[in-house]
Amino acid sequence: DNYHINTPIILFIDDLQWIDEASSEYILNYLIKKFNVYIIATLRSSDGLTALKDALENKSLNKWDCK
């Protein structure tokens, strides 16, 4: 039944800076490749901005090449 695959999923992630690697791997390697997923996330700039900036500037840190 393709209805479930085509139905959008809206995923809200609060405090993205605290996401564990297993969860991010699952989201990036399974969910977004198999389903129509929209991700809304909050990020505490004091904790996550440095890591996000580093990943955007240094492609080797960005395993998934997300933009």
Side-chain angles (χ1 to χ4, degrees):
D1 182 351
N2 287 337
Y3 173 77
H4 297 292
I5 293 174
N6 294 324
T7 302
I9 297 171
I10 299 173
L11 179 62
F12 180 79
I13 305 171
D14 190 25
D15 289 333
L16 183 62
Q17 73 276 4
W18 297 114
I19 194 168
D20 60 274
E21 188 167 343
S23 298
S24 62
E25 290 277 340
Y26 180 78
I27 292 167
L28 294 170
N29 291 317
Y30 179 74
L31 277 183
I32 64 171
K33 292 181 179 180
K34 186 166 176 107
F35 299 99
N36 185 13
V37 179
Y38 295 89
I39 299 174
I40 301 168
T42 64
L43 176 71
R44 187 179 313 147
S45 61
S46 61
D47 290 335
L49 187 58
T50 301
L52 178 62
K53 182 180 174 189
D54 289 346
L56 291 173
E57 291 176 353
N58 186 347
K59 294 295 183 186
S60 67
L61 297 175
N62 187 348
K63 299 180 199 176
W64 305 280
D65 196 23
C66 296
K67 294 176 176 73

